[in-house]
Amino acid sequence: MAAVALVAVANSPALASKKGFDGVWSVNIVAKSEGCPTHTIPVQVSDGTISFSSFGATGTGKVSPAGAIRLNISLNETVVRINGKATGRVASGSWQTAPAGCAGRWSAQISE
């Protein structure tokens, strides 16, 4: 389940800073280790607020006007913490689960 949450978080294109980052982002999540999944997921950004709900996981976060991204995705007792930076219509960053277990990088682009 942590892997699913991780995928959701990493894929969440937490790329939205007010109108400039608004839209649906396609997020590609890549794990550092084989035991953790790699996925591509859609993430919604509206007025700088990031939201995600899929695989039984939910997430919320923010994109600053400068493009700084912070997102937490929860699935049962696992939390995926995502950080990154959006520039224009692309974004990237890192993610990790707590309790510790999986970590990796993510990249995203706005799909609409």
Side-chain angles (χ1 to χ4, degrees):
M1 291 187 170
V4 171
L6 172 58
V7 170
V9 174
N11 286 320
S12 24
L15 314 165
S17 133
K18 295 286 178 181
K19 305 296 181 201
F21 298 112
D22 283 3
V24 176
W25 290 78
S26 176
V27 180
N28 182 45
I29 299 171
V30 178
K32 289 182 182 177
S33 65
E34 292 182 21
C36 300
T38 296
H39 294 281
T40 299
I41 61 169
V43 175
Q44 177 70 49
V45 176
S46 179
D47 290 328
T49 298
I50 302 165
S51 60
F52 172 83
S53 181
S54 188
F55 308 109
T58 58
T60 59
K62 293 285 184 183
V63 177
S64 76
I69 298 167
R70 294 203 182 270
L71 172 67
N72 286 336
I73 295 176
S74 299
L75 177 64
N76 299 323
E77 295 180 16
T78 300
V79 175
V80 180
R81 292 187 175 100
I82 299 171
N83 294 294
K85 174 82 174 164
T87 304
R89 302 179 65 78
V90 297
S92 62
S94 61
W95 60 268
Q96 66 180 28
T97 61
C102 292
R105 307 278 311 153
W106 63 270
S107 62
Q109 62 184 32
I110 197 161
S111 57
E112 61 174 52

